Amino acid sequence: MAELKPLKPLAPVGGNDPKTDFVKRAGQRSGQLPTPRLRAISLDEEEALPFKMMLYGTWGTGKTLSLVGLLLHGFKVLVLTTDVGGSGLLSVKTWLRRTGRAALLTNVYSLTLSSYSEVESFLEAPETYMPDIYDVDIDWLFWDGFSGYQQVHVGSFVGDLEPARSDSGKPVSEGRQAGLVFEQADWGAVRNATIRAVSDFCNLANKKTGKQWHKAVTCLESVKAKGGGQGGFVETRQPLLQGAGGILSGAAFDLIIETTATAASANAEEGSGGRQYWYVTKGNQQIAAKSRGIELEPRETADMFALWQKIAKQVGLPYREEPVPVA
């Protein structure tokens, strides 16, 4: 049966120094391929626009596993992982094996990016890390762990920068010198790095054919209590993204949904582990959610195969009526 294997690491370019190798690779990026084929398009053309969605929720609510539904529609998916602890695709692999669809593992490509520089390099030239990316005809880019990118990758990069000195001559704190505490100028850098990464990611396409890639991003969830007094506290839930960069990121997506899990009812499907999983698609003052004109139930069963059917029928994108059959 097919195995899900991580992409091979890049071979050294010119020596054993990783920094030297990175600089040489970065220098080779420009001019390798032409820019994506650009032309004015009519919105009645099939796949005229890529679809972009964000899923956010606490760990264990099915964010990563949702890509199984895309595989059941026959799509090829490249998964970029910047999550804390590395790839979370074990849930996908075990589900496909358990259901007799291990053959679909060949449609999943996995790439773990472990630093801000690696993410930046991929967004500039994906072929640097996956040389055949424009030939395998992928359909979706799935960025798993965007909260980890902002908190760990961007945070480490900004924290390592030389601290800005204030006009007042006030000494830089030990926390800032260690890269653990950010000041106002640092948060501006976090904002810029966050929104630029989202923008670059959403604009990626096949540079050879001009084919648009659909995009999915996963984030952890931020839960905050607001208010107090006679009205009590109100719990708000939104993607775990810090600062203005996190707020601006939401503008990039056609659909933002919250993934949740609740205790299963007595007649729940056997083997469900006592939990039922949901996609919250309608937002309010307490829940961040978004939809660009797509009609969905306020709370959908967490079945990405069925959800994509609903979306694709309304938007005019490819889908299957029945899942890819068991091999």
Side-chain angles (χ1 to χ4, degrees), residues 22-36 80 111 113 115-130 133-134 141 143 149 196-207 213:
F22 176 80
V23 171
K24 289 187 176 182
R25 289 193 192 96
Q28 294 171 353
R29 290 181 302 179
S30 59
Q32 285 187 336
L33 286 168
T35 56
L80 311 176
L111 179 60
L113 301 173
S115 70
Y116 172 81
S117 297
E118 288 183 357
V119 173
E120 186 179 39
S121 181
F122 176 87
L123 295 176
E124 174 69 22
E127 65 275 9
T128 303
Y129 290 93
M130 185 176 177
I133 189 171
Y134 303 122
L141 288 181
W143 190 339
Y149 164 73
R196 288 175 184 175
V198 170
S199 180
D200 290 345
F201 175 74
C202 289
N203 286 324
L204 288 175
N206 191 311
K207 291 183 180 180
W213 293 330

Side-chain angles (χ1 to χ4, degrees), residues 2 109 169 195 236 248 323:
Y109 300 84
I195 194 59
T236 62
L248 288 168

Side-chain angles (χ1 to χ4, degrees), residues 1-5 92-94 96-97 100-108 327:
M1 291 188 291
E3 293 282 352
L4 177 62
K5 297 180 180 180
V92 174
K93 184 173 185 176
T94 54
L96 291 173
R97 286 186 174 279
R101 292 184 171 89
L104 290 179
L105 289 169
T106 59
N107 286 348
V108 187

Side-chain angles (χ1 to χ4, degrees), residues 262-276:
T262 59
S265 60
N267 59 353
E269 180 182 354
E270 185 176 354
S272 65
R275 287 159 67 87
Q276 289 180 312

Side-chain angles (χ1 to χ4, degrees), residues 212-278:
Q212 297 294 313
W213 293 330
H214 304 304
K215 315 297 193 313
V217 169
T218 71
C219 298
L220 289 171
E221 183 174 69
S222 171
V223 180
K224 297 180 180 179
K226 292 184 178 181
Q230 294 183 350
F233 287 96
V234 175
E235 187 179 84
T236 62
R237 305 196 297 274
Q238 61 189 33
L240 180 57
L241 295 172
Q242 301 293 329
I247 297 173
L248 288 168
S249 296
F253 298 96
D254 304 308
L255 181 68
I256 298 177
I257 61 180
E258 180 197 29
T259 60
T260 66
T262 59
S265 60
N267 59 353
E269 180 182 354
E270 185 176 354
S272 65
R275 287 159 67 87
Q276 289 180 312
Y277 297 88
W278 307 94

